[in-house]
Amino acid sequence: MGDATDPRFVRSRAAILDAARELLLAKGPSAVTHQQIAEHAGIGRATVYRHWPRTDQLLAEAMATVPMPFFDEPTSPYRDWLTSQLTAIAHQLEHDDVLAVTTTLAGSALWDPAMDARRAGFAEILTARLAAALQDAEQRKELAPRTTTGTAAAMAIGPIYYRATIERAPADAELIEQCVASSGDWTAP
Amino acid sequence: MGDATDPRFVRSRAAILDAARELLLAKGPSAVTHQQIAEHAGIGRATVYRHWPRTDQLLAEAMATVPMPFFDEPTSPYRDWLTSQLTAIAHQLEHDDVLAVTTTLAGSALWDPAMDARRAGFAEILTARLAAALQDAEQRKELAPRTTTGTAAAMAIGPIYYRATIERAPADAELIEQCVASSGDWTAP
């Protein structure tokens, strides 16, 4: 392996990750090969192999740089906050690159422990943040919840995720409103 | 690639799909390899590779040509019927092979028009069948619906699909009950 303090090493690593993300977006995960990354990034194939001997590890790394901004910093009124968060998730899932990364993560997690750890990390953050927000909403008497800590994320995000990946259509305001309503009965603060 | 109008090409393609389905049923998805398909179908391994370079796409194709059993033939009481159908879907999604095919289908649909057509076919069947069943339930005064034709499938199946693919945990009775409840207010017939 090269030296992480060597600027050429750092540069080629960044170029490889960029190329991997671009190939994933354009052609799907099967296009993320050492050969295609080398051509796309304009560097030698041996350099790609030196950084990532296996492309599945490279894919996982490329995906790990996708930020997880959702359900952070909840604010009252919680109903409006949840609506805006679910709308933001729905908009993200309208981008083919986000969808490609999400389905690749979900698929590779079945046979790759490193990818499974990343999947679990994402899922746990979403579950914990949403549960904490809905608990706050309940304490402020804005929500009489119908979901629990264990089901809140699946009930709120699941329909939007299904709409994006299986129905391949935008989550409209009607669907998002039903997702918000599935959390329980809302009262204006 | 061969020519879809060449009868030998069409025959070998059908033989490969038959072999893939038979191997899948008999021995599970790990048996669906190029080598085993070639032996089972009695054709050359190179021919299998020519038709399907990747076995996950072949698996998805083989499973997509299997009839979709869910939401077929609804019966009163519709609430019980919906609970049993969603439980059956949840159980299917606990099998890694079904999950692999589902995520492969959802992923490849992003860059492969043929896979996208299969995805759309599945989604439309689920939407149409569930909408028809919930309409029957409404006419028999068993349901005061909260969803519409466009949202019913996403609201009922989405959380179970999210639980299986993103949270990688079984959909328990609590989650399924909340999915059933998201369809509307139920009354015993």
Side-chain angles (χ1 to χ4, degrees):
Chain A
M1 286 297 283
D3 181 347
T5 60
D6 176 349
R8 282 171 308 179
F9 182 89
V10 173
R11 263 202 310 275
S12 61
R13 185 186 162 85
I16 290 166
L17 278 171
D18 284 345
R21 273 189 294 264
E22 283 164 24
L23 285 167
L24 184 71
L25 161 61
K27 301 179 184 175
S30 63
V32 183
T33 63
H34 291 97
Q35 180 64 48
Q36 291 209 49
I37 287 165
E39 284 171 15
H40 200 82
I43 57 182
R45 197 163 62 147
T47 306
V48 183
Y49 271 104
R50 209 158 43 235
H51 282 272
W52 280 281
R54 286 168 48 191
T55 49
D56 57 347
Q57 294 167 337
L58 168 53
L59 259 175
E61 188 87 18
M63 287 171 187
T65 58
V66 175
M68 228 308 287
F70 303 116
F71 297 141
D72 209 5
E73 300 180 13
T75 50
S76 177
Y78 287 87
R79 185 191 182 129
D80 297 347
W81 170 82
L82 182 56
T83 303
S84 77
Q85 291 297 301
L86 293 179
T87 304
I89 290 175
H91 283 161
Q92 278 296 310
L93 289 173
E94 281 171 34
H95 296 290
D96 277 359
D97 56 341
V98 177
L99 217 46
V101 165
T102 310
T103 56
T104 298
L105 195 63
S108 334
L110 295 172
W111 55 85
D112 182 334
M115 295 288 259
D116 193 52
R118 298 199 188 288
R119 173 209 56 74
F122 276 119
E124 280 158 22
I125 289 172
L126 290 168
T127 298
R129 287 185 184 168
L130 184 57
L134 296 185
Q135 230 160 26
D136 284 354
E138 188 182 2
Q139 277 172 2
R140 287 169 182 250
K141 315 260 186 247
E142 294 183 30
L143 174 69
R146 251 196 304 274
T147 57
T148 61
T149 299
T151 63
M155 291 304 295
I157 310 166
I160 292 165
Y161 179 62
Y162 180 91
R163 171 66 64 89
T165 55
I166 302 294
E167 298 185 336
R168 291 282 286 132
D172 50 18
E174 183 192 24
L175 185 70
I176 288 167
E177 169 58 31
Q178 290 177 14
C179 290
V180 171
S182 76
S183 295
D185 293 316
W186 292 93
T187 316
Chain B
M1 285 298 283
D3 180 349
T5 61
D6 176 349
R8 283 170 308 179
F9 181 88
V10 173
R11 262 202 311 276
S12 62
R13 186 185 162 86
I16 290 166
L17 277 172
D18 284 346
R21 271 191 296 266
E22 284 163 22
L23 285 166
L24 185 70
L25 288 172
K27 302 181 184 175
S30 62
V32 184
T33 63
H34 290 98
Q35 180 64 47
Q36 290 210 50
I37 287 165
E39 284 170 16
H40 200 82
I43 58 182
R45 196 165 63 149
T47 306
V48 183
Y49 271 105
R50 211 158 41 236
H51 282 271
W52 279 281
R54 287 170 49 189
T55 50
D56 57 345
Q57 292 171 340
L58 168 53
L59 257 176
E61 182 102 13
M63 287 191 90
T65 53
V66 162
M68 153 72 72
F70 302 117
F71 296 141
D72 208 6
E73 301 179 11
T75 50
S76 177
Y78 286 88
R79 186 192 181 128
D80 297 346
W81 170 82
L82 181 56
T83 303
S84 76
Q85 291 296 303
L86 293 178
T87 304
I89 290 175
H91 283 162
Q92 278 295 310
L93 289 173
E94 280 171 34
H95 296 290
D96 276 0
D97 56 340
V98 177
L99 217 46
V101 165
T102 309
T103 55
T104 299
L105 194 62
S108 333
L110 296 171
W111 54 85
D112 181 335
M115 295 289 259
D116 193 52
R118 300 202 182 286
R119 174 210 54 73
F122 273 122
E124 281 158 21
I125 288 173
L126 291 167
T127 298
R129 286 186 185 168
L130 184 56
L134 296 184
Q135 230 161 26
D136 284 356
E138 188 182 3
Q139 276 171 1
R140 287 169 181 251
K141 315 261 186 245
E142 294 183 28
L143 175 68
R146 251 196 305 273
T147 57
T148 61
T149 299
T151 63
M155 291 304 296
I157 310 165
I160 292 165
Y161 179 63
Y162 181 90
R163 172 66 63 88
T165 56
I166 301 295
E167 298 184 337
R168 290 281 288 133
D172 50 18
E174 184 193 24
L175 185 69
I176 288 167
E177 170 57 31
Q178 289 177 15
C179 290
V180 171
S182 77
S183 295
D185 293 315
W186 293 92
T187 316

